Amino acid sequence: QVQLVESGGGPVQAGGSLKLSCVASGNIFYISDMRWFRQRPQNQREWVATISGQGNIHYTDSVLGRFTISRDSPKNALYLEMDNLSPEDTAIYYCKMNIRTTPQSAFEEFWGQGIQVTVFA
């Protein structure tokens, strides 16, 4: 089975930075798209950023210029560098990966357990 484990969250002062990590383990043949989502208090889960298997990157408008998504494919790892954080970035952050577990299998979606980021003024 596949597991995604996130780390790097916590409390941070407004204007500060945090770097989230998400590492996949288990039966993994290939990972295509990797994404970050977040769920702010009393809001639905929302998409934050995507990095494809080819390295194409997209961000939601609210984080453009402040967040940087990256990946280390040999390590099955996904990162989110978050700079100039504001209280509005307070949320539980989730990683999601599209993973093929064997050469013959279809892609499946796997989620991390979520990690809290709290930005205080």
Side-chain angles (χ1 to χ4, degrees):
Q1 190 50 281
V2 173
Q3 252 192 332
L4 273 59
V5 178
E6 295 143 348
S7 61
V12 62
Q13 195 167 19
S17 298
L18 278 177
K19 185 174 183 177
L20 303 182
S21 299
C22 174
V23 179
S25 62
N27 294 328
I28 297 169
F29 172 72
Y30 176 72
I31 304 175
S32 60
D33 292 353
M34 296 181 172
R35 295 181 172 87
W36 287 102
F37 288 77
R38 68 184 179 185
Q39 187 163 9
R40 292 182 278 187
Q42 300 172 343
N43 280 271
Q44 292 184 336
R45 193 174 299 187
E46 61 180 352
W47 167 74
V48 174
T50 299
I51 183 166
S52 73
Q54 293 74 40
N56 298 313
I57 290 173
H58 301 278
Y59 299 99
T60 192
D61 287 348
S62 62
V63 308
L64 267 175
R66 300 188 301 121
F67 289 13
T68 303
I69 190 171
S70 61
R71 64 190 285 169
D72 186 337
S73 294
K75 294 182 179 178
N76 296 326
L78 171 68
Y79 307 101
L80 187 68
E81 177 77 42
M82 304 184 292
D83 298 318
N84 193 22
L85 284 160
S86 74
E88 288 70 38
D89 296 313
T90 294
I92 300 172
Y93 284 74
Y94 299 87
C95 58
K96 189 177 88 166
M97 298 186 185
N98 287 6
I99 299 175
R100 181 175 282 173
T101 56
T102 72
Q104 296 79 26
S105 66
F107 282 102
E108 299 176 66
E109 293 182 345
F110 294 91
W111 288 87
Q113 81 283 1
I115 192 161
Q116 179 70 46
V117 171
T118 302
V119 185
F120 55 93

